[in-house]
Amino acid sequence: MSECLFCRIVRGELTADIVHRTDSLMIFRDIAPQAPVHLVAIPTEHHVDAGALAAEDPGAVGALVTAADQVARLEGLTDYRLVFNSGALAGQSVFHVHLHLLGGRAMGWPPG
Ligand code: DGP
């Protein structure tokens, strides 16, 4: 996955504002924040979307959620939203699975 944007961030070929990193996952600030706190949590291994991740590495889904919750608290959030966009119609633009963590403002429902 040499051309994958997020794989390039994992390899350090592109810079990102990384707030948390382990061997298996990274959390960094979204380049186009949609809330005062907007982070993306990714597995360091390439998987296309949340369904693929769940099928190929089920434990990684929970690890992403756990890490996102811990980082949310470090960011001072008590309330936040976690979102996986799966597929272009759902808004996915980077096809390396990522969990959006958004917080710091009131949010409406349903999302657009
Ligand atoms: P999605 O549309 O759900 O695939 O979300 C992709 C997110 O990735 C989007 O909110 C913007 C963010 N993003 C795209 N390119 C970069 C980048 O080079 N660096 C960072 N930090 N975020 C990026």
Side-chain angles (χ1 to χ4, degrees):
M1 287 299 158
S2 59
E3 298 308 313
C4 168
L5 189 67
F6 286 174
C7 285
R8 295 188 69 197
I9 289 175
V10 169
R11 292 196 298 268
E13 295 170 7
L14 296 175
T15 58
D17 186 354
I18 299 166
V19 300
H20 180 70
R21 179 168 197 158
T22 69
D23 286 345
S24 58
L25 64 86
M26 287 177 66
I27 302 181
F28 51 88
R29 297 193 191 281
D30 195 289
I31 202 168
Q34 302 301 308
V37 177
H38 186 176
L39 308 174
V40 287
I42 68 167
T44 53
E45 292 285 330
H46 185 91
H47 301 270
V48 170
D49 59 23
L53 182 64
E56 295 158 8
D57 188 359
V61 180
L64 283 184
V65 173
T66 298
D69 179 73
Q70 291 169 346
V71 169
R73 288 167 204 294
L74 291 173
E75 293 281 323
L77 301 175
T78 54
D79 302 351
Y80 59 81
R81 182 172 291 176
L82 298 178
V83 177
F84 285 114
N85 293 326
S86 293
L89 275 182
Q92 187 175 10
S93 61
V94 177
F95 289 83
H96 179 134
V97 61
H98 48 283
L99 179 61
H100 292 266
L101 164 60
L102 301 119
R105 65 167 170 82
M107 293 184 194
W109 191 264

